[in-house]
Amino acid sequence: MLFTLMVEQETSKLSEILKAASDPTRRALLTLLVQHGPSRVTALAKHFDMSLNSVSKHIKVLERTGLVLRRTEWREHIIEVQIEPLRLIDQWFTELRSIWTMRLEALDDILTKETAHDDDQSQH
C-alpha cells in the first residue's frame, strides 16, 4: 500500500514536471538559468517579448513543480534552477528504454529461432 502511494505520488509529480516543461517559454527560462546561473526576474524577463507579469507567471509554474527556487535579496527576487526534480524524467526514460530493449531482445530471439528452424527445414 505504501509502495503504491509512493508510485502514485511520483507519477503525479512527473506529470506536473512534464506539463510545466511542455511550454517553450518555461523551457527557455530553464535553459537561461542553467546557462547563466541564478538570475533576477527582471533580467530573465528581458529575454522575452512579453510583460514582466507574464514571465513571473511562468516562473511561478516552475516554482510549484520545484524546478526553480526563488529567494529574495533586499528587493530583488533571484531565481535559481533546481535540477533534482528532473531525476524523475531521467528515471521514466530509463524505464522506457529498458522495456524497448527487452522487446527488441524478444524479437531477436524469435527471429533467431525461425532462422534456425528454416535452416533445419532446408537440410531435410
Side-chain angles (χ1 to χ4, degrees):
M1 184 75 166
L2 180 61
F3 178 75
T4 303
L5 180 62
M6 290 174 59
V7 169
E8 287 175 4
Q9 287 175 341
E10 282 205 358
T11 300
S12 175
K13 185 69 177 172
L14 175 62
S15 295
E16 290 175 17
I17 291 168
L18 289 172
K19 186 176 178 183
S22 69
D23 183 273
T25 301
R26 291 181 213 133
R27 286 196 307 274
L29 284 165
L30 290 171
T31 301
L32 285 168
L33 289 166
V34 168
Q35 290 174 338
H36 302 289
S39 303
R40 294 187 321 249
V41 174
T42 52
L44 291 168
K46 290 179 181 173
H47 293 274
F48 300 95
D49 189 24
M50 63 179 67
S51 69
L52 177 62
N53 191 37
S54 295
V55 171
S56 187
K57 286 180 180 177
H58 283 291
I59 291 171
K60 285 179 183 173
V61 171
L62 295 172
E63 278 184 276
R64 280 194 298 269
T65 59
L67 290 171
V68 298
L69 184 67
R70 180 189 304 253
R71 69 176 192 274
T72 305
E73 293 181 5
W74 294 93
R75 295 175 60 177
E76 299 288 337
H77 289 235
I78 308 295
I79 307 301
E80 184 176 351
V81 71
Q82 301 293 301
I83 298 298
E84 209 289 318
L86 297 177
R87 171 190 57 79
L88 290 175
I89 295 174
D90 282 341
Q91 183 180 344
W92 182 58
F93 277 115
T94 298
E95 290 170 7
L96 286 179
R97 280 191 294 272
S98 175
I99 292 168
W100 186 246
T101 298
M102 287 177 10
R103 293 182 73 184
L104 287 175
E105 288 173 356
L107 177 62
D108 186 53
D109 285 347
I110 292 169
L111 292 174
T112 300
K113 288 176 185 172
E114 284 188 12
T115 302
H117 178 72
D118 290 345
D119 288 346
D120 287 345
Q121 293 284 327
S122 66
Q123 291 178 358
H124 293 285

